[in-house]
Amino acid sequence: MKPVLIDLDGTLIDSAPVVTRIFQATVREEMGRDYPLDFFVQFIGPPLADTFTKLGAEDPVDMVARYRRRYEKVMLDTPVFEGMADMVANLQAEGVPLAVATSKNKHNARALLEHWEIADHFLCIAGDPENRPDYTKAMVVADALECLAAQGVDASSALMVGDRIHDIEGAAANGVPTVLVGWSNGPAEEFDLAWGRVDTVDELQELLLGFSRGEIEATL
């Protein structure tokens, strides 16, 4: 069975309400700037250091730490998208090797998955270890593939499930095609750059099973 990598924010979990609220509070209180909540939707998913660089922070690394201190107090309020917990359980039961590939702090990613009792469905959880400067989505995907291979999974052909352009680009850097989910907050033009798109969890499950079994071919 071919492996599947799944992004976290905006793909597996509905992080928009919590993440936008924490971004707004951090930018307002630490940078003295005020934006409406919907302004921050564009920053759901990409590496935090990149986001704070774009926002003009003098020290993006410090701003990431300040953001995370706020976020960690409320992160467990983030729900799994309806149907996704059952989907990953079903895929695991069918023998699909699964890994999480997220730009989120690795510790926080695991805490969320454990809170919703779905961590055990994944062979690997790849995320920001906080000790590698400029940790990119390409590095996340590489770490996930390496972790799968270390557990005996043939990771030479994999598929990424994501919600934004950084998922497409990070996966492509590792020779992995991407399917974007229709419940993404991303702009419409990003979907044109992905190998595929699904609009429901049922569609996603069917596609991933077909891919993992070798019945569907995914290409860059």
Side-chain angles (χ1 to χ4, degrees):
M1 299 286 276
K2 298 177 182 179
V4 172
L5 315 181
I6 303 179
D7 176 51
L8 198 58
D9 288 325
T11 303
L12 184 58
I13 63 173
D14 186 7
S15 54
V18 169
V19 167
T20 54
R21 189 171 78 244
I22 299 305
F23 265 131
Q24 185 185 56
T26 304
V27 171
R28 177 192 294 139
E29 296 171 23
E30 305 293 347
M31 299 176 65
R33 302 178 187 175
D34 203 3
Y35 300 98
L37 281 174
D38 59 5
F39 171 79
F40 296 100
V41 170
Q42 63 185 301
F43 301 123
I44 297 172
L48 287 170
D50 290 353
T51 293
F52 283 111
T53 297
K54 290 179 180 178
L55 288 170
E58 294 183 5
D59 187 343
V61 174
D62 179 62
M63 288 301 299
V64 169
R66 292 169 185 264
Y67 168 93
R68 282 183 171 150
R69 282 196 291 270
R70 288 179 170 84
Y71 173 75
E72 288 168 0
K73 295 176 182 178
V74 296
M75 68 178 185
L76 296 183
D77 293 340
T78 307
V80 178
F81 279 111
E82 184 176 358
M84 289 295 281
D86 288 338
M87 188 201 75
V88 295
N90 293 340
L91 292 176
Q92 182 200 34
E94 292 290 335
V96 180
L98 297 174
V100 167
T102 176
S103 296
K104 184 183 290 297
N105 170 284
K106 185 176 181 178
H107 172 78
N108 290 344
R110 178 172 290 280
L112 274 163
L113 294 167
E114 290 178 348
H115 174 72
W116 293 112
E117 300 182 347
I118 57 176
D120 290 345
H121 298 315
F122 298 94
L123 291 173
C124 301
I125 299 173
D128 187 352
E130 292 193 272
N131 61 0
R132 292 166 64 181
D134 302 321
Y135 192 69
T136 65
K137 191 70 183 205
M139 294 177 185
V140 175
V141 173
D143 285 349
L145 295 172
E146 182 179 349
C147 175
L148 288 168
Q151 297 193 54
V153 175
D154 181 358
S156 61
S157 179
L159 182 62
M160 179 77 196
V161 182
D163 68 315
R164 294 298 309 274
I165 183 64
H166 63 281
D167 296 313
I168 299 171
E169 294 175 342
N174 291 276
V176 175
T178 298
V179 56
L180 292 190
V181 296
W183 50 92
S184 162
N185 289 303
E189 58 268 21
E190 292 186 359
F191 287 93
D192 295 334
L193 303 174
W195 165 73
R197 169 182 178 150
V198 294
D199 291 308
T200 69
V201 174
D202 287 343
E203 288 178 356
L204 180 59
Q205 178 173 304
E206 182 178 0
L207 183 148
L208 296 181
L209 281 173
F211 166 79
S212 189
R213 292 168 177 162
E215 300 165 358
I216 297 174
E217 182 180 357
T219 59
L220 288 174

